[in-house]
Amino acid sequence: MQEIIKIDYPVKESLKNLFDSYNCELNNLNSFVADYKRNVYELFKSQTFPTLKDEGWRYTNISSLVNLKLSFPDYKTHDGDIYYQNDYLNIDSYKIIFYNGKYLKRFSTIEELIKKNLIVFSSIAEELKNPSDEFKKYFASLVDNTRIFNSINSIFFEDGYFIKIKEGVQLQKPLLAIYLYGNQNSPFISPIRNILIAENNSKADIIEASFNIDDSIVFENNIVEYFGYEGSEINFIKLQQNNKESFHYSDLIAEINANAKFKGYVFTFGSQITRNEAELKLNGEYASGHLYGLFIAKGKTIIDNHTQMSHIKPNCESNQLYKGILFDRSRGVFRGRIRVEKNAQKTNAYQSNKNLLMSEFATINSKPQLEIFADDVKCTHGATVGQIDENALFYLRTRGIDKENARSMLILAFANDAIENLYNENLKEQLRTIIFKELSK
Amino acid sequence: MLSIKNLKVKVEDKLILKGVNLNVKAGEIHAIMGPNGSGKSTLANVLAGREGYEIIEGEIIYKGLNLLDIAPEERAREGIFLAFQYPVEIPGISNATLLKTALNEIRKHRGEPELDAMEFMELMKEKMKLVEMDINLINRPVNQGFSGGEKKRNEIFQLAMLEPKLAILDETDSGLDIDALKIVANGVNMIKKQIQDKAIILVTHYQRLLNYITPDYVHVMYDGKIVKSGSKELALELEEKGYDWIKNGKNY
């Protein structure tokens, strides 16, 4: 076993090869980013992919990923209208469309916001050529490249968004970033790197949706660095629906400053292997951070949620509620860490993970971790695993509702409190529809 | 409408029903009485199609259908309704959602158009009045946090909404105070009056519900069999003499 670990996996070999060709292209980029990427690559060369022996990956076997040979997407196969027709989220919103990792300005509808000076927007591709001072200020300040999935992103990202919601602005409609993937013959990588800034007292909903339009295999790797300033209130909603051959890695790192509120919603319907990481840093007094997760896994897929609530300053509150629904031979993982620094007195932290096992072969590994260095804190956590209530199922059936429908209703009911907190009715309705469809697949 | 012949049912290897015979015609109300553990609730559950019951022998014919061959939801669509002894709490599903889904499934089965939101609301208001149910309960999760009386009333409300052909009320009177009992009884009587092609089976331990709903037949169940059948006077006799009378009679 040990020998195998020392050999580079096919995926790493392929990424090294990709970098050799990519290295020349870096010359076209501003040296600020090119140097960064080259430095991370040096780090990457000595990094290994995690195995089940790594504590943070104990339950998540990524052998199907590390045996993959990755390439860049072939952009020649772009078809301008395919993705437009696949505009599956029918939400009144300001759209930001990406296709195979590239920002498509002509399908995006945020011009109005930029013109009205409500937001600052640039694509990361633009910033790579000609970085603004602001981009330089925020870029890579939260990302931890000691982790290999992050370093892969740092080396290969070519696009994404830089958005700043201006002071006091309240967006009436959500910003909707859609990541579409498709039309490729071999497994490909095209990481996305986003920077999102909510200035003082700004309010907005941001929805991020990943979707495969066909059975092309993508290793999606999406990082968001978020900065929420005094009094800002942001709902960040992530919706992931890759196909069951693809891989999905995401990392959300959020710095939440004094009196700011951040609510993250993570709706995961799985790829072959999905790993969602999130860290909320409560970095100013009276900041609050929430994470609501709902994950539904089927077949032999794995959905792994890794969260950290970092209480850095006093008087902050955090709340995590993750709900998992696991079918067939799928595996779900929830590792939620609450870390309370010595200085973070009067912390209020709550965490709960509830799971529904729909098959005797499905597995859930739920692991809360508390690291508390302050002495005046309130921290609670809990995890449950259960099955569909047969009594309730029978009750619904005796009212004329067929078994499958009744099961879906009960699952939806179980999932409900992860959806209920959203106040956008349109989005709620669409989510219920998506969940219903996922359940009846 | 319903014909049960020599029904023998096992639960976890224990024979509970030991040969039940019962015939119910449209327009009739039957009361099935008996001491605890006599098999009354088992019979009600078998009629509704609950899993976990092993049919050893016998048959149940309902409107020409072999009932034991069809799923609970199909039975419901064919007009069978079980008011539960212990109504189930379902967090996350509102009463309105349950009823709208159920009613439309049943209407679809009958070849009737689905009700739109307005029609559904009107119907609900009308039926809620019937059982004097608080309108606020309609958007609350099914039975969650309901008092015992509210739960039973909710069963009767569902019964009124779904308009079944054969209603089976499993101990609907237990745990009710006298006012709630009257309301439940009124609800049942109203339904009975409205449609003549219906039948009702009341499963009850006590005679008191029968003060408000007059049965055409009273059956006494004991040790997995119907041991005595008669008119409504039988219930009064039972009340007077107690179940020991039946038990002793059997021992003779």
Side-chain angles (χ1 to χ4, degrees), chain A residues 54-58 144 146-147 252 275-282 289-291 304-312 317-322 333-341 347-353 365-373 379-382:
Chain A
D54 293 273
E55 183 52 31
W57 293 82
R58 257 179 77 184
D144 173 10
T146 63
R147 294 183 294 181
L252 161 71
R275 167 87 163 197
N276 287 324
E277 303 197 1
E279 184 185 0
L280 308 191
K281 297 170 191 272
L282 298 163
H290 302 253
L291 284 174
D304 179 351
N305 303 282
H306 224 82
T307 70
Q308 175 158 342
M309 275 299 169
S310 301
H311 284 263
I312 299 162
E317 60 162 30
S318 73
N319 184 9
Q320 294 178 70
L321 172 64
Y322 272 73
V333 182
F334 174 75
R335 293 170 69 97
R337 182 184 289 168
I338 300 172
R339 189 180 161 91
V340 182
E341 301 292 347
T347 282
N348 218 330
Y350 175 80
Q351 181 194 91
S352 160
N353 169 225
N365 297 101
S366 183
K367 195 165 184 203
Q369 288 172 292
L370 302 183
E371 293 173 4
I372 300 172
F373 301 100
C379 253
T380 58
H381 66 89

Side-chain angles (χ1 to χ4, degrees), chain B residues 3-235:
Chain B
S3 159
I4 303 173
K5 277 185 194 147
N6 193 30
L7 186 67
K8 293 184 183 172
V9 175
K10 259 189 186 175
V11 181
E12 287 167 358
D13 281 338
K14 196 174 173 238
L15 197 62
I16 304 290
L17 297 185
K18 300 176 178 174
V20 172
N21 293 291
L22 182 68
N23 282 298
V24 177
K25 292 197 188 84
E28 293 176 350
I29 298 183
H30 289 244
I32 298 179
M33 303 182 71
N36 289 330
S38 58
K40 307 186 300 284
S41 281
T42 298
L43 179 63
N45 279 307
V46 168
L47 284 170
R50 191 191 279 272
E51 284 168 15
Y53 294 91
E54 194 190 341
I55 314 296
I56 304 297
E57 221 183 301
E59 61 172 16
I60 305 176
I61 306 295
Y62 166 75
K63 294 201 302 183
L65 296 165
N66 194 346
L67 204 62
L68 295 173
D69 288 347
I70 61 178
E73 55 269 34
E74 290 171 48
R75 299 181 195 197
R77 291 171 200 169
E78 289 292 342
I80 290 182
F81 180 93
L82 172 66
F84 279 53
Q85 182 178 7
Y86 304 107
V88 184
E89 296 192 10
I90 312 181
I93 297 179
S94 73
N95 273 313
T97 304
L98 164 69
L99 276 172
K100 192 154 194 258
T101 314
L103 190 62
N104 281 333
E105 288 284 356
I106 290 168
R107 290 180 67 92
K108 223 190 310 178
H109 182 78
R110 290 178 188 157
E112 295 164 3
E114 294 191 6
L115 292 185
D116 65 28
M118 280 292 285
E119 294 168 321
F120 178 70
M121 208 48 215
E122 283 308 307
L123 185 66
M124 272 204 314
K125 278 187 194 156
E126 179 199 327
K127 302 292 184 183
M128 285 187 114
K129 231 180 265 169
L130 206 67
V131 291
E132 298 176 34
M133 209 167 107
D134 180 358
I135 191 90
N136 293 317
L137 293 182
I138 201 64
N139 287 318
R140 290 249 305 268
V142 177
N143 293 324
Q144 199 184 20
F146 285 27
S147 70
E150 280 171 337
K151 281 181 187 172
K152 295 294 173 80
R153 227 185 283 185
N154 198 19
E155 295 292 287
I156 300 303
F157 167 57
Q158 292 180 17
L159 172 79
M161 286 291 289
L162 301 179
E163 300 189 329
K165 295 274 188 283
L166 175 63
I168 304 150
L169 277 62
D170 188 7
E171 307 266 4
T172 300
D173 51 331
S174 67
L176 291 186
D177 61 31
I178 198 74
D179 291 332
L181 188 72
K182 276 184 196 164
I183 289 164
V184 166
N186 283 342
V188 174
N189 282 329
M190 290 286 281
I191 295 154
K192 161 87 174 146
K193 256 182 248 163
Q194 281 168 351
I195 298 167
Q196 285 306 313
D197 62 347
K198 290 177 158 296
I200 299 173
I201 297 176
L202 299 169
V203 173
T204 178
H205 186 83
Y206 303 103
Q207 187 269 339
R208 59 174 198 160
L209 180 64
L210 307 183
N211 291 335
Y212 305 97
I213 306 171
T214 313
D216 301 300
Y217 298 95
V218 174
H219 309 277
V220 183
M221 238 180 133
Y222 179 68
D223 194 25
K225 281 185 175 175
I226 288 175
V227 293
K228 211 169 177 53
S229 295
S231 63
K232 62 177 196 246
E233 280 73 28
L234 179 58

